[in-house]
Every structure is written in structure tokens, then in C-alpha cells.
Amino acid sequence: MKLIKLTAISAAVLASSAALAAEPVIVVDGNEAVVYEAEPVAVAYQAEPAYAYNADAGVVRNTTGAVVGGTKTFFQTVTHPAAISAEVGTLGYGANIGWALNDKTELQAGWAGGDVADLFGGDFDANGVNYEVDSDFSNPYLGVQLRPAANWFTMGAGIIVPDNDIDVTANPSEGISGYYKVNDIKYDASGVALAGTVEHRNKLAPYATIGFRPNITNNFGLFGEIGAAYMGKTDATITSLDPNQVLKAEDSNGNAITGLTGKDLAASAEKELEDKNWLEWMPIVKVGATYRF
């Protein structure tokens, strides 16, 4: 009986400390000895990555998916982005940082700005008056980049916080000795100068794009996007060099109109600029390069 009890106790001890029982254990009861040989127990665990990285598809490695899984802190994720990009386009010159939620979804934060008037010709027409443009753009943005098929094709959406300074100077038709035609009235441009600013009303501008983002190597890739941002209607401020100057003017039939001043001309030009809603929908066209971590 004593041997049976000792045997049971020894077996329990051996079972709870199998990893330490690589050597034989001897239990002695009186003159009898019983030898037990313990086999170590090993259990192997292999962690599988949350998302597979496909270089050919141009996708990014998972970074923020780890936050949901609890394997990284939020701070670690934010400070370890999936990709950084440089860009140039109609919103300006800039860069963005991307954090991948998975192989199809990427969060982006970026900025684009600078003097980009030359990118779209440096001038525009508003109801017969040509304006030279000088711009200073600042467009921070936050958005989501989607890859519906988990390949190079992308769809983007987000919000821009525009702070764009747009200065305009009117160019007379037929040169400096020509005329300004505003609201169907021709004003003699001799000695007259019109200039001012145009500002979009929206403080938050939603945008949407489609594009492509192929990888050239495992780390480097290119991208291109087209789309639009809704900047809203515009507020214009136009002034004349001499607002009290009486101007020569005539209607569409060639009949002379008297009493119109530089201030009247500026007010009419300002109204036409706002009615035109110049770049109410700001076109987005940009290209760039990406480095993926």
C-alpha cells in the first residue's frame, strides 16, 4: 500500500514538473526501488503575421492593425508609419505620411502648398476679363486611401483645410491701351489698373480621388491621382488704382456711357468674379513617389 501511495505522489510531481524531469527519478520504499523515466513536453507556438505583404500589389505593411490586436501601443504605431510620400500637383508641392490599417486601407495625413499658379497657366478668364494670378497655397489634409482589389488601383477621400491666398491682376484686352469688358460694358483701360484677391469660403473642403500606386521595388513606388475638392463659392475684393477716376465707357451697341468711375468698374469686376465661382471645384491632379517601410 505504501508503495502505491508513493507511486501516485511521485507521478503527480513528475507530471507538474515535466520540463525539469529530463533525468531519471528513483523512489525508494524500504528495500524496494522504483525508477521513473520522465519525458520532457514541448509545445511550439508560431505567430502568424496579421497581414501578408505583397510587393507586386503595391500594398503597405500592416501597422495600425496592431493597435486593434493589442500588440503595439498607439504611440508606437503613430511613430512608425507604413509609408511616406512626396507629391506635386494642383494643390501645391508637399508630402504625406501613411498608416496602414490593412492591405486595403491606409490613413493619410499630409500638406501641399506654395506658389502653384504656373501649374495651371498662371491666368484665367472671367466673363471676358483676363486675370494674372499669383498664389500662395496651404492645404493640410487628412484622408483615407482605399485599395478595393488590394492592388495598385486606389480610391481616396478626406478633408482639406484650405488657407489659400490668391492675388489677381486684370489684363486689358488688346494690351494696356485696350479695354476691360465687364457686364457688357467696355471701359477704356488707359491709365486704369485693377487688382485684388479671391478667397474660397469653405474652411473645410471634402475631396475625392482615384489613382494608381504601383511599387517599383519592395520599398519604392510611384503614384498618380486625379479628382476634385469642393472649395465652395468665392469672395472677391477688387480695387482700382484711382477709384474716383471718370472712365470712358460704352455699351454693347457702341453708345457712350458717362459718369462711370474706377470704383464702378472694380465693383462690376468683383461681382463677375464671384458669380463665376472660380475654382469652386478645385481640380486635383498630382503625381509623386513613395517610400514604404
Side-chain angles (χ1 to χ4, degrees):
M1 178 63 71
K2 185 180 294 186
L3 177 60
I4 294 174
K5 289 182 180 179
L6 287 174
T7 302
I9 294 171
S10 300
V13 172
L14 289 171
S16 63
S17 57
L20 301 177
E23 299 297 327
V25 176
I26 302 175
V27 178
V28 179
D29 180 31
N31 295 325
E32 297 184 23
V34 180
V35 179
Y36 298 93
E37 185 73 28
E39 295 294 332
V41 179
V43 181
Y45 296 94
Q46 184 172 0
E48 294 294 332
Y51 301 99
Y53 177 65
N54 185 345
D56 295 331
V59 300
V60 294
R61 288 181 174 88
N62 172 43
T63 56
T64 47
V67 173
V68 179
T71 57
K72 285 186 179 180
T73 67
F74 178 76
F75 177 79
Q76 287 175 321
T77 298
V78 170
T79 56
H80 292 79
I84 57 174
S85 301
E87 64 183 59
V88 59
T90 52
L91 293 179
Y93 310 86
N96 68 63
I97 302 175
W99 294 270
L101 295 175
N102 51 50
D103 61 347
K104 294 184 179 181
T105 309
E106 177 180 316
L107 297 180
Q108 288 184 339
W111 178 90
D115 185 358
V116 298
D118 290 340
L119 293 177
F120 50 85
D123 65 335
F124 69 97
D125 293 324
N127 296 335
V129 179
N130 180 264
Y131 290 91
E132 194 76 22
V133 180
D134 183 21
S135 64
D136 184 11
F137 279 15
S138 177
N139 292 294
Y141 61 89
L142 182 65
V144 178
Q145 193 78 228
L146 301 176
R147 300 172 184 269
N151 59 12
W152 56 265
F153 175 71
T154 64
M155 299 174 64
I159 292 291
I160 299 172
V161 187
D163 183 15
N164 300 324
D165 296 327
I166 304 171
D167 297 325
V168 296
T169 302
N171 296 319
S173 299
E174 301 177 2
I176 59 175
S177 61
Y179 61 90
Y180 298 109
K181 187 175 182 180
V182 180
N183 196 25
D184 291 329
I185 298 177
K186 291 177 65 174
Y187 294 85
D188 188 346
S190 300
V192 179
L194 290 177
T197 61
V198 177
E199 181 181 4
H200 291 101
R201 297 177 186 175
N202 282 9
K203 302 307 178 185
L204 294 176
Y207 74 87
T209 62
I210 59 172
F212 64 95
R213 286 178 173 261
N215 272 10
I216 304 303
T217 68
N218 282 345
N219 298 107
F220 288 97
L222 302 175
F223 70 88
E225 293 179 36
I226 59 172
Y230 183 69
M231 296 291 191
K233 297 182 181 297
T234 56
D235 290 323
T237 302
I238 302 297
T239 59
S240 175
L241 181 63
D242 184 356
N244 298 319
Q245 177 185 2
V246 178
L247 306 177
K248 294 179 181 179
E250 60 182 43
D251 61 21
S252 57
N253 296 320
N255 299 317
I257 301 176
T258 60
L260 294 178
T261 65
K263 183 178 180 180
D264 297 322
L265 170 57
S268 295
E270 186 177 291
K271 186 177 185 302
E272 286 202 344
L273 267 176
E274 292 182 346
D275 288 346
K276 179 181 173 62
N277 292 327
W278 182 64
L279 293 184
E280 179 178 358
W281 286 91
M282 173 75 78
I284 296 177
V285 179
K286 61 182 177 181
V287 295
T290 296
Y291 179 82
R292 306 188 188 284
F293 297 99

